[in-house]
Structures are given as structure tokens and as C-alpha cells.
Amino acid sequence: MSFLKFDSLRKEFGDFVAVHDMSLSVERGEFISLLGPSGCGKTTTLQMVAGLLSPTSGKVILDGKDITNTPPNKRGLGIVFQSYALFPHMSALDNVAFGLEMRGVGKAERLERAHNALNQVKLGQFVDRFPKDMSGGQRQRVALARALVIEPPVLLLDEPLSNLDAKLREDMRIELRLLQQDLGVTTILVTHDQEEALSMSDRIVVMQQGDVSQVAAPLDLYERPLNSFVSDFVGKTNILQGKVTDKNVVSVNQIAVSVNTEAHVVGADVALSIRPEKFTMSSDNAGLPVRVKASIFMGASWLYSVESDMGELLVTQPNTGSAGFARGDSAYLAWEEGALTVFGGVQA
Amino acid sequence: MSTEKTPNTPYLLTAPGVLFFAALLGAPMIMTLLLSLHSYDFNLGVQSDWTFGNYAEVIGDPYFQKIFGRTFGLALWVTVICVAIGVPEAYVLSRLNPRWRSIFLLIVLGPLLISVVVRTLGWALFFGGSGILSMVSQALGFGDEPVSLMFTFTGMTIALVHVLVPFMVISVWASLQKIDPQSEDAAYSLGASKMTVLRRITLPQAMPGILSGSIIVFALTASAFATPAIIGGRRLKVVATAAYDEYLSTLNWPLGAAIAVLLLIANIAIIVSYNKLVERRFAKVFE
Ligand SMILES: Nc1ncnc2c1ncn2[C@@H]1O[C@H](COP(=O)(O)OP(=O)(O)OP(=O)(O)O)[C@@H](O)[C@H]1O
Ligand SMILES: [Mg+2]
């Protein structure tokens, strides 16, 4: 039986439905990300789990118990808020010790445990600092230590890394994931950053306007998106509109592309999706002829925007140490048939 | 045109304001200070000598000591009651939904739109021996004698609290607005009860507003004139009304000036040391 269950959770604000009947089962120790564009209902969902918002209908079940109507102070969940929400009038140590105090832990023990929690997030020497004297990254860690020290059954994270700079964000991703795995704490992370979701989660829930678009492990989600919204939102992709002209042939701007079309009838309008890194770009006269419109060096790779008879395409190629294609160069694109995904209908 | 800032710009920009204050506030104050250093003769008027005699008289005279004691006692009481009423009021206001909030804010601040004198006269009618208070208490059987709060410490306290509580509300309200509501949610989710959240998280963060509100209310009470003059009258003088009487009844201007200067000094001393205390306590926490 799953550890944490959402059963048709629904939240309406007036006549606006922020979260449509959402169901999800989370296993013990699992790291789940709620991923979606701004305003799709991620925070609303998380707050319903936390108990800070009550659902219009539906249930939250934790470890077999219905906690839908349990107030937040009786749920015992660990929450890291988007703004960190530290207590500005308390030192880092007192911030972390607060939850233990509320649980009636004695002073000596709670200070020791708070100290250990701060050590765990590498803030051992900042115990006496006040939040206003800390950097964003340090505050974020205090918030994490404060949530973890109470040893919550579930950790809820609302975009905890979004206020950090790019480098720190990447470091924290790894740290957070390692910590989560060490502690084995069931975690729900809210993010609109697909890279964050892909790199940290066991499973990702992609949300769109209050609906779940797809739930899948990161690799599955990336390689086998269910629709063009997911494929476009998770990672970069090229979406090409075409028509099935024959069995296993889709015509895109009069160019025949061979692809598995078994789910679609001949004559159907379809969309093809192919990720930029699935192309091989070379000057050998084979494949789709293209002209390089823009060439951007990204360090580990090259990013090209190219023009072809199929339309404009984004292409990434690994940096192999030699100069890449330049603007205006002609080149040829090749790809494997399996790299293409077909979606029905004309989708954005 | 050069956009470079000259170091003089700030001074030039503040010059008109500084001049205005120097002329209209600084000059009379200095003249009052100088006046207080002359002696006064009941037959010859203000003398041209220099003396601290007036100060010695005020400080040494039990009559004036009592007035000063009453004034600061009143200021303290009014401040304490304004905190007790204003803080919950501001908290409730901050929790109301926006439409109700603006209506109630208007009700709270509305009295500020009416002259203090008019409001105090209203209280006088209410408090007087044949006033509403007296009639109600007689009707309820609390006694057959007419009750009057006129010329009482309680009456002054009530009227001043009414006049000054909006300042406390505004000041606390401003600091409540700055609190991140998620910090309350965070405490709540960490197991705190609603009361604990209020006591341990909300109230400490509203402290700067409570403290600055206290300073405003204390200073305004200690130097209040109209309300004590109407409710307290001659029988229950405070420093401001005592100074006024020296000027206008006794015509001993230098003594009146000395009283006024002493009030100013005492007020400044109390507020500055209070502020120091507060800053030392909270500097670590708030910018
Ligand atoms: N109290 C509220 N009253 C009315 N509408 C609300 C309220 N809270 C949220 N909404 C609406 O519900 C939708 C979902 O909000 P939510 O905060 O869950 O978005 P989100 O996915 O967390 O977005 P973001 O990534 O920007 O944080 C939004 O369209 C928002 O405007
Ligand atoms: Mg959000």
C-alpha cells in the first residue's frame, strides 16, 4: 500500500478550479516532483497536503490514515517554503529548535539536535546568526534543517532552490538528493524547473492548468512524453506538424519522414517531436540538407538553429574539441527513426 | 548638463525645510529657553538677570513635583492602555478581508478627522455629573449619587486613550503588514498552536511597531494640553496646563518657560533612553 495518497484532490477558488481531481500514490521514501508552468496549481496542491489549504473535495491519506481534516500542527510534516519563511527574530539555532520545542523536547536535547541538523546542512558555524545576516543559500539550508529536524514522515518543498544562483542551485540539487536518500524521507518537491525535476526525482508529475498531464520516471518522461505539452515543457524539443500519407510515413512540408504511425490512420494530422540532441549533424552528403542560421557555443555542447525544408530546427551537438559549424554553413542532419515521437492532432 | 552629483546637493535640497524649522520652531524654543533663565518680579515683571532660580523653584517645589509625577504617570497609563487596545485592534484589522478592512480602518482612524477639542468636549458631556454616564449608572442602580469623571485621573486617561489609540493602531498595523505570513504558517506546521504562533512568531515581529507606537503615544500624552485642560481643568493640572497657567494667569512667564523646558527635557530623556534600550534589544533582528 502506498504511503501517501491523494484521492481526487480538488481545489476551487470561487468558480476557478486551481486543481482538478488529482489522484496520486507516493511510495515510502520516494522523491516526487510536481512540475509545471507558473499558475498550474503546484503550490495549491502542496498546501493541501500540508493542511494550509483545505481541499474543496477529495482526500489526503498518509500511512493509511485520512488526514484531510487534520490541522497542520497535528500533521507533523516538514515544509520548506518558497520564501523560506524563517523566523526573523530568532537565531538559526532557535529557528531549527522551534519545532522540537513544540514537541516538548527538553532544552539540552533540542539544542543538541538542532545543532546536529545545522551541521548536517553544513551550517555548523552559523548557529548564532540571524536570518537577515545570512545569504540566500544559507537561509535555504536553515529552512531545510528546520523542516528535517522534526524527522517528518513527509518533506514538502516549494521551489526551495529558485532563489539561488545557478551554481549554488546545482550543488544544492545534489546535496538535497543525497540527504533525502540518506534519511529515506518521502519528499514532494514543487518546481517549474524541468532540469531540477529531472535530476532529483524518482518520479515526476507534470501538471498543466490544474490537471496531471503525465506521471513518469525522469527518463521515461523525457524519452516517451505522452503529449506535445509534456515533450515541449520537459527538455527542449522540435515540434513539426505533418500528415500521415501512408503506413509509417508522415509528410512534413512535402518531405516524407519515416516513423512508426501505428496509432494513427492514414490521412490524420499529426505532430512529430524530436529532441535537438537526437540529431547527428555532419557535412557528409547524407540526410536532410540544412543551413546554419545561428551557432551558439554552450561549453559542453553546441546549439544550432538551422533552416531546412522541414522548417526551422534546433540542434545540439556535443563539443568534441574541434570548431563547430558557423553561421551560413551548409550541413546535413540524420536521426534514428526511434528518436521521433508522434502525437495525434494539431497540438501547440 | 552634467549628471554628476555634487556633494552639496543633499544640503541644498534640505535647506528650505531646515530654514523653515529653524525659523518657526527653533527660534521660539531658543527664546523660551532664554526667557526661562530670567527672574520675575511681581511688581516689576521680567528682569534682565540670568539665573537658574526658576528651575530650582520648579524642581524643589512639591506642588510641581506632583504635577510632573501625575503627567508621566498619566503618559504611562495611557501608553499601557493604548498597547492593550491598539495591538489586538491592529491584529484583527490585519486579518479582516480587504473590504471590511478598509471600512474598519476608516472607523478606527475617523476620530483623527475631528478636532481634539470637539472630541474632548464630547467626553466632557458624557462624563459630567448630569451626563450620560451618570444617568446610565444611576438607572442601573450603581448608586443614587450622580457619578462624574470630570476632573479625575480616570476621565483624563479615558479621553486621552480615545484620542491617541489610532496612532498605536497605525504603527502596529504597519509592522504587521511587513510580516511574511508564511512564517506563521511555518510555525503552525511545526506543531505550534494558533496561540503559540501569535505569541512566539507574530507578536515579536510586531514589536518594532508596538515600541514606536508607544513612543508616539507617550510623548503626545506627556505634552498633551487640550484634553487635560478640559477634563482635568485647574483641579487636576498636568505639566502643559501648569505652564499655561503660569503664562496666562500668574503672568510669571519665566517660570512657565522653565516648566515647558523641563517637560521637553524630561520627555526627550525618557524617549531617547527607551529608544536606546529598544535598539539594543532588537538591532540584531531587524534592519
Ligand atoms: N487564494 C487564491 N484565490 C484565488 N485564486 C488563487 C488563490 N491561490 C491561488 N490561486 C490561483 O490558483 C492557480 C494556481 O496557483 P498556485 O499558487 O498553485 O500556482 P503554482 O503552480 O504554484 O505557480 P507558481 O509556479 O507561479 O508558484 C493560479 O492561477 C492562482 O492565480
Ligand atoms: Mg507556487
Side-chain angles (χ1 to χ4, degrees), chain B residues 105-273:
Chain B
L105 209 55
L106 195 70
I107 294 174
V108 169
L109 304 185
L112 290 181
L113 304 177
I114 304 165
S115 152
V116 180
V117 176
V118 173
R119 271 187 292 165
T120 308
L121 285 172
W123 279 110
L125 291 176
F126 187 83
F127 285 153
S130 53
I132 298 170
L133 183 70
S134 184
M135 289 181 343
V136 169
S137 88
Q138 275 170 307
L140 291 177
F142 287 121
D144 303 327
E145 302 288 303
V147 258
S148 169
L149 287 176
M150 283 306 283
F151 314 115
T152 63
F153 192 80
T154 315
M156 277 204 288
T157 309
I158 294 175
L160 278 167
V161 165
H162 176 241
V163 173
L164 294 174
V165 91
F167 292 97
M168 181 64 76
V169 174
I170 296 173
S171 159
V172 175
W173 159 265
S175 70
L176 284 174
Q177 289 304 96
K178 277 192 248 161
I179 298 181
D180 175 1
Q182 289 199 325
S183 72
E184 292 163 324
D185 283 347
Y188 197 26
S189 71
L190 284 168
S193 66
K194 291 222 155 132
M195 265 321 281
T196 310
V197 172
L198 187 62
R199 195 167 51 80
R200 295 283 307 275
I201 307 300
T202 314
L203 210 53
Q205 291 189 69
M207 221 48 192
I210 298 174
L211 296 171
S212 56
S214 307
I215 289 183
I216 295 172
V217 170
F218 187 92
L220 288 178
T221 310
S223 58
F225 175 76
T227 307
I230 295 171
I231 307 271
R234 286 273 158 74
R235 280 192 239 167
L236 217 55
K237 283 193 195 174
V238 295
V239 178
T241 52
Y244 177 83
D245 284 342
E246 288 306 326
Y247 269 91
L248 292 189
S249 307
T250 326
L251 294 180
N252 187 345
W253 284 31
L255 190 65
I259 295 173
V261 171
L262 280 173
L263 175 62
L264 180 67
I265 291 171
N267 227 344
I268 289 175
I270 290 171
I271 287 168
V272 167
S273 46

Side-chain angles (χ1 to χ4, degrees), chain A residues 14-37:
Chain A
D15 47 12
F16 175 77
V17 185
V19 177
H20 293 266
D21 308 11
M22 177 173 180
S23 295
L24 182 71
S25 292
V26 182
E27 297 306 317
R28 194 186 288 270
E30 206 177 6
F31 194 123
I32 296 272
S33 293
L34 302 183
L35 174 67

Side-chain angles (χ1 to χ4, degrees), chain A residues 47 52 71-73 76-77 79 81-83 85-90 98-99 101-103 130 132-133 146 150, chain B residues 180 182-194 196-197 200-202 204-205 282-287:
Chain A
Q47 302 239 312
L52 297 168
N73 56 352
L77 309 185
I79 308 173
F81 291 86
Q82 187 162 357
S83 65
L86 295 180
F87 311 134
H89 56 297
M90 294 187 195
F98 185 84
E101 189 187 339
M102 293 303 120
R103 279 166 178 67
F130 279 81
K132 79 172 173 72
D133 298 324
R146 185 177 68 178
I150 60 171
Chain B
D180 175 1
Q182 289 199 325
S183 72
E184 292 163 324
D185 283 347
Y188 197 26
S189 71
L190 284 168
S193 66
K194 291 222 155 132
T196 310
V197 172
R200 295 283 307 275
I201 307 300
T202 314
Q205 291 189 69
F282 288 98
K284 270 211 249 151
V285 185
F286 298 101
E287 273 93 342

Side-chain angles (χ1 to χ4, degrees), chain A residues 11-14 16-19 36-47 53 82 158-159 190-192 207 210:
Chain A
K11 183 67 190 179
E12 296 168 8
F13 295 109
F16 175 77
V17 185
V19 177
S38 190
C40 70
K42 307 177 297 278
T43 299
T44 306
T45 308
L46 201 74
Q47 302 239 312
L53 273 180
Q82 187 162 357
D158 193 353
E159 313 217 14
V190 157
T191 179
H192 60 253
M207 294 180 66

